[in-house]
Amino acid sequence: MRTQSLPAPPAHNSPVRPGPSLRSGSVTPPAQYSSGWFGRQRRQRLLRADLLTVIAWGSVAAAVALWLADGGVAGVSSVAAAFTAAGIVAGLAGMDLVLLMLLLAARIPYIDRTIGHDRALEFHRKLGKPSLYLLLAHGFLLAVGYGMAEGLDPVSESVSLWQQVPDMWLAFVSMALFIAVVVTSLVAVRRRFPYEFWYVVHLLTYAAVGTSLPHQFSVGGLFAEGTWQRWYWLAICIATGAALVYFRVLQPILATSRHQLTVSRVEVEAPGVINIFMAGRQLDRLAETGGRFFIWRFLAPGLWWHPHPFSLSAEPAVTGPDGEGTLRVTVGNLGAGSAQLVRLRKGTKVAIEGPYGLLSTAARTRKKVVMIGAGIGITPLRALLETTPFAPGDASVLLRGHTEQELYLSSEILDLCRSRGVRLFHLPGPRSRIRSSWLPQEAVRGGYGLTAFVPDVAESDVYVCGPAGWADSVISDVRQAGVPEEQIHHERFDW
Amino acid sequence: MPRTSDPLRLPETGTKLSARTFECMGTVVSVTFADSPAAGQETQDELAAATAVVERLFRELDETFSLYRPASEASRLARGELTLRSASPEMRARYAEAHEWRLLTAGAFSPERPDGVLDLSGLIKGHAIREAGRSLLALGRRDWCLNAGGDILVSGSPVPGSGAAWKAGIVDPADRHSLISGYALGGVGGHAALATSGSAERGEHIWRVDGGSDFAQVTVAAADVVTADILATAIVSGGMAMLNLATEQWDVAVLAVHADGSLLATPAFRRQI
Amino acid sequence: MKARGTLAAAVASAGILLAGWQAGTQAGGASTLASGSNTTTAGSTGSSGTGTSGAGSSGSGSSGSSGSSGSSGSSGSSGGSSSSGSSGSSGSASSGTATAGTYQGAAVQTRFGAVQVQITVASGKITDVTALHLTDDDRKSIQISNRAAPLLRTEVLAAQSADVQTISGATVTSNAYLTSLQAAIDAANL
């Protein structure tokens, strides 16, 4: 174990410019980044999170209220009507959850800045099963309820609905698609299917939602023409669709055409790890994204359809008046899709989306900051370290890897730490089998834990970036050290 | 406005209606007799006996034709345990009648369910009322009103000897506790039967927008109750085309309620409002 | 802090549901009352309290239609909604003043468009109800057959106040019979 502690040096003494872009001089927090500023940012973020919670639950309540406002309860006068009513309510709530899922996956900046990309997707996943169950209940309860009212069994009733009621066959198709999407998603999670498979299955969701829409407006008595309920439902459907189109289609196209990125150079950083340099315009607009990630598509045959989520591993180096310059991503864990990136040709055009995620200054709540990274997870921390504001002595960086070579970009990070006054710990070696499995065996045996490296961790923002299992172990130690939840910033990096 | 009016009393004093009900075919059948107030216990017994005849007739038909009774002939037919060839003469007669109606209505009325099972219930209720009416007349009763789940057949007058019509109320499909209209049945030159069919039976949550059949409810008055019942059903499923066909081919009065609540009525219907 | 969000969400949701409930019971009030009284029809009348003839009935018709989320659409152009507009004035007319004259109801927004009605009162009774503004939703009436012609609900108003001895409607199940108008009529004649 090699440990380097670097006390704050006098500012402006770093002639070294590691990476393509490091600005000279250190980034000491300007006056506005006082502890009060961080506290305010924290309060605002929590307020936004509460607001999102209220909107989400409120929208479900509103869906049920639509039915209540239509005198729904008064209509429940028989067993059949009770089934029908329950079916209608289930359908309303289910569709509302589906819309929430779509919004959570729409990469809306407001949501991203508040709860982060991976937590948004976590909620998205959590809603998958409840919404499917509600939609299944919707179909089943209505078949039973209508069937009882007509004296048919649920199956005959379904056949009759399919044949006789307009748009209902589409609703059946939609139901089948929803089941297919959720089931394959669950299987895909367990079996660890490739990202591409996942992506294609999810495109089916749009077909499922699309085919479910007609019957809601043509058959649902609640949404008959001229009702305010119809306007409300139309409004939330259209708003969701618009958010998806704008943030997932339009924004990426705009960003891609704005920056006109092309690959300028690919170099090997370490075995299995490469740096990709790209040239483009208006790169100043991508500055200070810290550890946030972008979705990259390299527009070359066989590669263009594969989206890669990478962070910038350094601040963009801007050289021209129109933001012309270069930026860099560092890619490791070369999987099937990313292995081909080594052979990227100079001049290959690159599509970009983002930045997404909350691994950035926007998540800061405290004056002090701790960054803990492992493997390729080190690279986003490298970019964050470059720009996030702190005073000399207020930051600590812990880097993990099996070997010294796996501490990627370590020399650049060392230089950054020197110039900004950061405590830096290199923690190479095989992982510990007992306790704190995120630390090297050697450190644990020697009796070193998290607080031995960072005694003031409880008053710091802690950024964790690395493989999932490792990160879980870090986070559990961080919690034990008394760090409140809102100071822990983590984003999965292995998907 | 039935709620505000008091339906119990006829304007003409001196006549009393007496109603009896029983449950059959998934609905409630009401038999209402109009009699002079002088009627004694003797008459009461006669009325009870007449009602019993009607009830037995309904029950026998239900036992043969109900698809809800696993042991009924209709159920065995539906399960394929019985062929039409070996079915009872009563079953074959009703089947033939239903098929004739299918031809007459160009398929708008069908004795088959969407799932293909033979279902004569669309005909049997009307048939039962028709037979019950014949029995009442045979028993010498002249002034009565039979109502089975909204299908009505009347004879005579609620005020015996006066020639006054029986007044039927037609339910608003949007609120079955209020009436859209009234219709004078029987009396001089009026139809004796009235039947209403609706698309709202499934529950009150289906809202149709397709152009074809958008009738929420259709009421047909005709000389006999089977015609009224079947044409009402046929117009609901066959839409405007069937309505035109019905008014051309039969002597009927029709009131149709569109899905949007607007009304269509034939001139014959307007006259009897 | 998480608790704050959860609490706020719970309060907001409860508020929204309560508002929906309120709106629902107001709109569907008439139908609730009606289905609540299964013994006599008169009971619900008292509570709806509109009094005179047609106006009252169609008034409740309109609310009932939205209340029960009316399948079949219900009360078209003029129908229920129109009279709900007029029910106010008709009430005053019946409550004794009995001033003859013509009254215009307020324009009422229904699920089928705006509707305004005019009622004519003579000797304490409504003699005429006319729809002033019908909804433009007459798409379906264009294809009118020469046999069956459109009939305004107001035209059948007179018929509604008459006593009826029997009721016709789409097949009533045994369960629904208990709360039906036919049941009330039968009960009275038992």
Side-chain angles (χ1 to χ4, degrees):
Chain A
M1 178 174 75
R2 205 183 83 198
T3 302
Q4 300 204 10
S5 186
L6 298 163
H12 306 297
N13 71 341
S14 173
V16 193
R17 303 184 54 180
S21 70
L22 183 60
R23 300 160 190 184
S24 61
S26 66
V27 189
T28 41
Q32 75 257 30
Y33 291 122
S34 59
S35 57
W37 185 90
F38 290 117
R40 246 191 330 276
Q41 169 162 293
R42 169 174 153 269
R43 281 192 300 278
Q44 281 169 3
R45 191 158 75 86
L46 289 174
L47 201 64
R48 287 202 305 270
D50 288 348
L51 188 66
L52 288 178
T53 316
V54 169
I55 290 172
W57 283 105
S59 78
V60 179
V64 178
L66 292 180
W67 173 78
L68 286 175
D70 200 31
V73 176
V76 183
S77 52
S78 65
V79 182
F83 270 98
T84 306
I88 289 171
V89 171
L92 290 168
M95 181 63 187
D96 193 75
L97 289 190
V98 168
L99 293 179
L100 286 179
M101 286 178 74
L102 291 177
L103 286 174
L104 283 168
R107 300 183 179 152
I108 298 169
Y110 188 86
I111 295 176
D112 205 45
R113 273 191 298 134
T114 305
I115 59 172
H117 183 256
D118 70 339
R119 273 188 71 205
L121 286 185
E122 189 185 320
F123 288 128
H124 169 91
R125 272 191 295 274
K126 275 187 183 164
L127 289 179
K129 274 206 235 171
S131 57
L132 180 71
Y133 292 153
L134 282 169
L135 293 179
L136 283 174
H138 168 66
F140 174 76
L141 291 170
L142 283 184
V144 172
Y146 287 164
M148 283 167 85
E150 284 198 318
L152 293 177
D153 62 276
V155 177
S156 311
E157 179 60 35
S158 303
V159 173
S160 133
L161 282 171
W162 172 295
Q163 288 179 340
Q164 298 190 328
V165 181
D167 297 333
M168 275 310 292
W169 68 274
L170 277 173
F172 282 95
V173 169
S174 164
M175 180 66 82
L177 287 171
F178 270 118
I179 295 172
V181 169
V182 175
V183 169
T184 46
S185 295
L186 293 176
V187 172
V189 168
R190 206 173 304 132
R191 300 257 172 96
R192 298 190 158 272
F193 283 174
Y195 180 83
E196 295 75 42
F197 175 81
W198 181 275
Y199 191 81
V200 171
V201 165
H202 268 61
L203 287 182
L204 282 180
T205 315
Y206 299 113
V209 175
T211 46
S212 78
L213 284 175
H215 89 281
Q216 298 179 29
F217 291 102
S218 67
V219 182
L222 188 54
F223 300 138
E225 269 175 41
T227 56
W228 61 268
Q229 282 96 338
R230 186 182 180 89
W231 290 112
Y232 171 81
W233 209 245
L234 268 175
I236 62 172
C237 288
I238 289 173
T240 306
L244 279 168
V245 168
Y246 183 72
F247 293 113
R248 298 219 54 171
V249 180
L250 224 52
Q251 280 283 40
I253 290 175
L254 288 175
T256 300
S257 66
R258 181 169 58 227
H259 296 301
Q260 303 196 343
L261 290 168
T262 54
V263 173
S264 58
R265 187 157 51 99
V266 177
E267 66 176 32
V268 175
E269 162 75 20
V273 179
I274 55 173
N275 285 323
I276 303 173
F277 294 88
M278 288 167 261
R281 300 168 45 218
Q282 298 194 37
L283 297 188
D284 45 334
R285 298 180 63 154
L286 302 180
E288 302 205 22
T289 57
R292 306 183 73 192
F293 70 93
F294 297 81
I295 305 266
W296 309 90
R297 285 170 201 270
F298 299 96
L299 305 177
L303 270 178
W304 61 269
W305 54 272
H306 191 129
H308 298 277
F310 302 138
S311 299
L312 294 184
S313 59
E315 278 291 288
V318 178
T319 51
D322 191 24
E324 289 92 346
T326 55
L327 49 76
R328 185 187 74 179
V329 294
T330 303
V331 184
N333 298 348
L334 291 179
S338 7
Q340 303 171 55
L341 297 181
V342 181
R343 293 190 295 280
L344 272 178
R345 279 167 204 279
K346 186 178 174 187
T348 303
K349 286 191 163 53
V350 185
I352 181 172
E353 290 174 48
Y356 302 127
L358 202 51
L359 213 66
S360 67
T361 303
R364 290 282 297 279
T365 66
R366 295 296 195 125
K367 230 155 77 52
K368 295 182 175 180
V369 60
V370 176
M371 300 179 193
I372 310 178
I376 201 66
I378 292 172
T379 61
L381 296 183
R382 146 81 176 78
L384 183 63
L385 180 64
E386 196 172 342
T387 55
T388 199
F390 54 80
D394 275 353
S396 312
V397 173
L398 282 69
L399 303 182
R400 266 292 279 139
H402 276 103
T403 62
E404 196 79 30
Q405 287 75 44
E406 279 181 31
L407 306 177
Y408 306 121
L409 307 177
S410 61
S411 64
E412 286 179 20
I413 291 175
L414 178 63
D415 288 330
L416 275 170
C417 290
R418 280 217 176 94
S419 69
R420 298 202 58 189
V422 178
R423 277 176 292 173
L424 170 68
F425 301 94
H426 282 186
L427 304 167
R431 59 187 351 199
S432 163
R433 297 253 156 79
I434 47 159
R435 287 176 288 136
S436 307
S437 61
W438 64 278
L439 280 169
Q441 215 168 334
E442 203 186 329
V444 175
R445 265 204 219 109
Y448 294 101
L450 176 66
T451 46
F453 297 106
V454 206
D456 50 358
V457 65
E459 297 108 61
S460 311
D461 281 306
V462 183
Y463 289 86
V464 181
C465 198
W470 174 87
D472 289 345
S473 167
V474 179
I475 289 169
S476 101
D477 272 16
V478 170
R479 283 200 189 110
Q480 266 187 7
V483 181
E485 207 58 42
E486 71 256 21
Q487 282 170 233
I488 305 174
H489 314 298
H490 165 246
E491 224 145 353
R492 285 182 57 189
F493 204 70
D494 60 343
W495 55 281
Chain B
M1 177 75 328
R3 259 179 277 159
T4 47
S5 74
D6 185 354
L8 326 178
R9 233 156 297 277
L10 287 168
E12 297 82 356
T13 48
T15 309
K16 181 173 149 292
L17 293 180
S18 109
R20 281 144 214 280
T21 60
F22 60 89
E23 202 179 328
C24 192
M25 297 185 179
T27 184
V28 172
V29 182
S30 310
V31 192
T32 308
F33 298 100
D35 275 289
S36 66
Q41 186 58 39
E42 215 172 310
T43 324
Q44 289 300 311
D45 292 345
E46 275 178 41
L47 296 185
T51 312
V53 168
V54 171
E55 181 169 356
R56 199 173 66 215
L57 198 148
F58 266 82
R59 295 224 180 281
E60 280 171 5
L61 284 170
D62 191 43
E63 269 162 36
T64 309
F65 289 97
S66 171
L67 286 171
Y68 291 95
R69 298 168 187 274
S72 74
E73 190 181 351
S75 293
R76 288 192 290 142
L77 208 56
R79 288 194 298 266
E81 295 167 16
L82 198 67
T83 60
L84 209 51
R85 190 184 294 272
S86 54
S88 65
E90 172 74 21
M91 176 65 76
R92 279 184 288 159
R94 297 288 78 74
Y95 183 78
E97 190 180 359
H99 263 275
E100 194 182 335
W101 277 112
R102 194 219 289 262
L103 289 176
L104 290 172
T105 60
F109 172 86
S110 166
E112 269 155 23
R113 284 203 315 219
D115 55 1
V117 170
L118 178 66
D119 183 2
L120 295 174
S121 62
L123 172 70
I124 292 306
K125 189 158 53 118
H127 172 67
I129 301 171
R130 176 173 65 190
E131 295 301 305
R134 280 181 192 153
S135 302
L136 288 176
L137 290 175
L139 288 169
R141 310 243 57 98
R142 287 283 165 272
D143 302 292
W144 44 258
C145 169
L146 269 169
N147 185 331
D151 294 347
I152 302 166
L153 179 65
V154 305
S155 169
S157 163
V159 188
S162 74
W166 288 88
K167 190 83 176 171
I170 295 165
V171 167
D172 185 343
D175 174 7
R176 60 186 193 84
H177 295 281
S178 65
L179 298 182
I180 274 187
S181 173
Y183 189 83
L185 276 174
V188 186
H191 291 118
L194 185 74
T196 299
S197 187
S199 63
E201 287 143 81
R202 174 171 278 134
E204 291 158 354
H205 306 285
I206 295 250
W207 183 71
R208 288 167 189 255
V209 286
D210 56 324
S213 166
D214 65 343
F215 292 132
Q217 179 175 297
V218 173
T219 301
V220 175
D224 77 291
V225 67
V226 172
T227 305
D229 190 12
I230 285 185
L231 289 182
T233 311
I235 295 170
V236 166
S237 73
M240 189 53 101
M242 184 61 221
L243 173 56
N244 288 338
L245 182 68
T247 50
E248 270 169 31
Q249 305 271 330
W250 285 273
D251 170 24
V252 289
V254 182
L255 172 72
V257 186
H258 273 296
D260 68 3
S262 62
L263 306 179
L264 282 183
T266 60
F269 191 93
R270 289 162 185 264
R271 279 198 298 275
Q272 297 297 117
I273 287 176
Chain C
M1 283 323 227
K2 204 173 176 186
R4 181 184 69 179
T6 316
L7 188 72
V11 169
S13 302
I16 291 169
L17 285 173
L18 201 67
W21 178 283
Q22 275 298 325
T25 43
Q26 270 164 23
S31 65
T32 321
L33 285 170
S35 57
S37 70
N38 53 6
T39 43
T40 57
T41 44
S44 48
T45 321
S47 29
S48 83
T50 37
T52 4
S53 60
S57 99
S58 356
S60 61
S62 95
S63 49
S65 81
S66 61
S68 61
S69 99
S71 69
S72 23
S74 79
S75 70
S77 13
S78 54
S81 30
S82 67
S83 354
S84 79
S86 68
S87 64
S89 33
S90 82
S92 66
S94 66
S95 66
T97 49
T99 322
T102 313
Y103 300 83
Q104 286 187 3
V108 177
Q109 196 63 38
T110 72
R111 68 197 306 173
F112 305 105
V115 166
Q116 190 185 14
V117 298
Q118 174 178 294
I119 57 170
T120 309
V121 176
S123 51
K125 287 195 166 179
I126 299 176
T127 55
D128 190 26
V129 176
T130 329
L132 296 179
H133 287 301
L134 286 180
T135 138
D136 56 352
D137 187 19
D138 265 1
R139 287 172 297 175
K140 269 138 193 163
S141 324
I142 292 164
Q143 26 161 322
I144 303 151
S145 110
N146 39 10
R147 281 162 206 83
L151 177 71
L152 289 185
R153 286 189 181 219
T154 47
E155 295 181 50
V156 293
L157 202 60
Q160 298 187 359
S161 63
D163 295 342
V164 295
Q165 289 103 43
T166 193
I167 301 288
S168 183
T171 308
V172 178
T173 62
S174 301
N175 289 336
Y177 171 81
L178 283 178
T179 59
S180 71
L181 294 173
Q182 180 69 37
I185 291 173
D186 289 339
N189 289 330
L190 272 179

